Amino acid sequence: MSRSLRVAVQMDPLEQVNIDGDSTFALMLEAQARGHELWVYPVSTLSLTEGQGKGGRLQARARRVEVRRVRGDHATFGEEEILPLGDTDVILMRQDPPFDMGYITATHMLEHVHGVGEGLSLVVNDPVAVRNAPEKLLVTHFPHLMPPTLVAWDPRDILAFREKHQDIIVKPLYGNGGAGIFRIKPDDENLKALLEMHFARTNEPLMIQRYEPAVRQGDKRIILVDGHPIGAINRVPATGEARSNMHVGGRAERVDLTARDKEICEAIGPYLRDHGLIFTGIDVIGDWLTEINVTSPTGLQELDRFEGINSAGLIWDAIERRYPS
């Protein structure tokens, strides 16, 4: 593609990222290598006015940025400026969950400029689809791909599920990075206390799933671009840990896609493509799909190291196809 795009990245502080592991950093490096202009801003600087026309109604306090793979010196920033987001071509919505009302509000605001054309900017991923696809709930639309699962408020339903399946995983619906996830073994006496503590703090339901012993061999993260799998990494839990997330000590290793993995991707791929979910990551344990990550998926740099590919490049290819040369 010969055209240079104006790219705004909505993210947590760039100064604090791990340049050897952060997927947003990889996307920014690739955008810059293609000649695209980069701005960065925190979601807290978004503002929406009544105004006329789409271009200037949604703004952010952004900084031009140049990035490089140099530890301790990976970004050079320009002065903060008011950036009309409708004057950009692409907005990467890359701030981390939790998927709370602040996150949801940002998707409503970005919806005002989402699209391709004058006064519009392609938001990746589509903010409407992100808002309508909480990661742990989206998977419930594919029940034939899931392990036994319950989403409920009532402790009686949760206790009945535990009675049936014995060994279970308890998850908050809108967290990330493995935070707040518990394994409750058959002889564990803490479930009622855990439920009391959770529902004393929030009125959100919990997701309960049957524990899958296959997680000891790893929780597979499959990266999809426009609904097509480009590869996977296996995240193996640390000793004494039920969670495989790399935030809590999980170890990444190379892994191939199985026939079942490909079946899962074929089943969900059309939904992802049709809803503008360009960059997604799904979690598979054994034969079961457990999550579809659409907010700020990770794993690009690990995948590149294992497979020798340019996964950020594949994502930018998909974005650039939306724009005429």
Side-chain angles (χ1 to χ4, degrees), residues 177-232:
I181 295 178
F182 292 88
R183 178 186 178 187
I184 302 294
K185 297 181 180 181
D187 60 349
D188 195 315
E189 299 177 344
N190 292 303
L191 179 58
K192 288 185 178 180
L194 176 62
L195 298 180
E196 289 170 4
M197 181 176 66
H198 173 80
F199 291 117
R201 295 187 299 109
T202 178
N203 63 355
E204 295 173 0
L206 283 164
M207 171 174 273
I208 319 296
Q209 290 184 319
R210 183 183 67 191
Y211 174 74
E212 299 299 322
V215 75
R216 303 311 311 173
Q217 284 72 55
D219 180 349
K220 192 176 297 181
R221 163 60 56 88
I222 303 173
I223 304 297
L224 297 97
V225 178
D226 260 350
H228 299 285
I230 64 169

Side-chain angles (χ1 to χ4, degrees), residues 62-137:
R63 295 176 290 171
R64 280 292 303 270
V65 65
E66 295 181 3
V67 290
R68 65 193 71 85
R69 194 178 286 280
V70 178
R71 292 183 185 179
D73 185 29
H74 62 271
T76 299
F77 298 95
E79 294 295 322
E80 184 179 84
E81 58 185 285
I82 302 296
L83 179 65
L85 291 178
D87 291 347
T88 67
D89 297 300
V90 178
I91 299 170
L92 300 182
M93 184 169 57
R94 293 290 302 171
Q95 80 273 21
D96 287 337
F99 191 77
D100 55 15
M101 286 308 300
Y103 211 110
I104 291 170
T105 300
T107 68
H108 281 289
M109 295 171 77
L110 289 168
E111 187 181 350
H112 284 275
V113 297
H114 175 58
V116 176
E118 185 177 354
L120 296 171
S121 182
L122 179 69
V123 183
V124 180
N125 288 315
D126 183 323
V128 177
V130 169
R131 185 171 67 245
N132 290 339
E135 296 171 336
K136 293 180 179 67
L137 286 176

Side-chain angles (χ1 to χ4, degrees), residues 84-322:
L85 291 178
D87 291 347
T88 67
D89 297 300
V90 178
I91 299 170
L92 300 182
M93 184 169 57
R94 293 290 302 171
Q95 80 273 21
D96 287 337
F99 191 77
D100 55 15
M101 286 308 300
Y103 211 110
I104 291 170
T105 300
T107 68
H108 281 289
M109 295 171 77
L110 289 168
E111 187 181 350
H112 284 275
V113 297
H114 175 58
V116 176
E118 185 177 354
L120 296 171
S121 182
L122 179 69
V123 183
V124 180
N125 288 315
D126 183 323
V128 177
V130 169
R131 185 171 67 245
N132 290 339
E135 296 171 336
K136 293 180 179 67
L137 286 176
L138 177 56
V139 70
T140 63
H141 291 278
F142 303 94
H144 60 296
L145 305 177
M146 300 175 62
T149 299
L150 172 73
V151 178
W153 281 272
D154 196 315
R156 292 171 295 183
D157 296 327
I158 296 171
L159 293 171
F161 185 92
R162 194 266 184 96
E163 179 67 24
K164 179 177 180 180
H165 295 288
Q166 296 295 305
D167 203 346
I168 62 173
I169 295 291
V170 180
K171 300 180 180 181
L173 275 179
Y174 302 112
N176 70 306
I181 295 178
F182 292 88
R183 178 186 178 187
I184 302 294
K185 297 181 180 181
D187 60 349
D188 195 315
E189 299 177 344
N190 292 303
L191 179 58
K192 288 185 178 180
L194 176 62
L195 298 180
E196 289 170 4
M197 181 176 66
H198 173 80
F199 291 117
R201 295 187 299 109
T202 178
N203 63 355
E204 295 173 0
L206 283 164
M207 171 174 273
I208 319 296
Q209 290 184 319
R210 183 183 67 191
Y211 174 74
E212 299 299 322
V215 75
R216 303 311 311 173
Q217 284 72 55
D219 180 349
K220 192 176 297 181
R221 163 60 56 88
I222 303 173
I223 304 297
L224 297 97
V225 178
D226 260 350
H228 299 285
I230 64 169
I233 60 173
N234 199 36
R235 301 170 300 174
V236 180
T239 302
E241 176 62 72
R243 302 168 296 173
S244 58
N245 308 72
M246 287 183 283
H247 288 292
V248 293
R251 182 184 77 255
E253 61 181 26
R254 187 187 177 281
V255 70
D256 292 319
L257 295 177
T258 66
R260 174 61 169 175
D261 297 334
K262 295 174 183 177
E263 177 187 345
I264 290 170
C265 292
E266 288 173 3
I268 68 174
Y271 177 94
L272 302 177
R273 285 192 297 277
D274 292 347
H275 289 81
L277 296 167
I278 293 174
F279 172 22
T280 57
I282 67 172
D283 296 340
V284 176
I285 298 175
D287 289 333
W288 302 109
L289 175 66
T290 59
E291 292 187 24
I292 302 175
N293 298 275
V294 302
T295 50
S296 185
T298 60
L300 296 187
Q301 296 205 51
E302 292 84 0
L303 180 60
D304 290 354
R305 285 192 284 270
F306 290 135
E307 301 297 339
I309 65 174
N310 180 2
S311 52
L314 297 174
I315 293 168
W316 277 108
D317 287 345
I319 293 170
E320 290 174 356
R321 283 195 291 269
R322 271 72 172 175

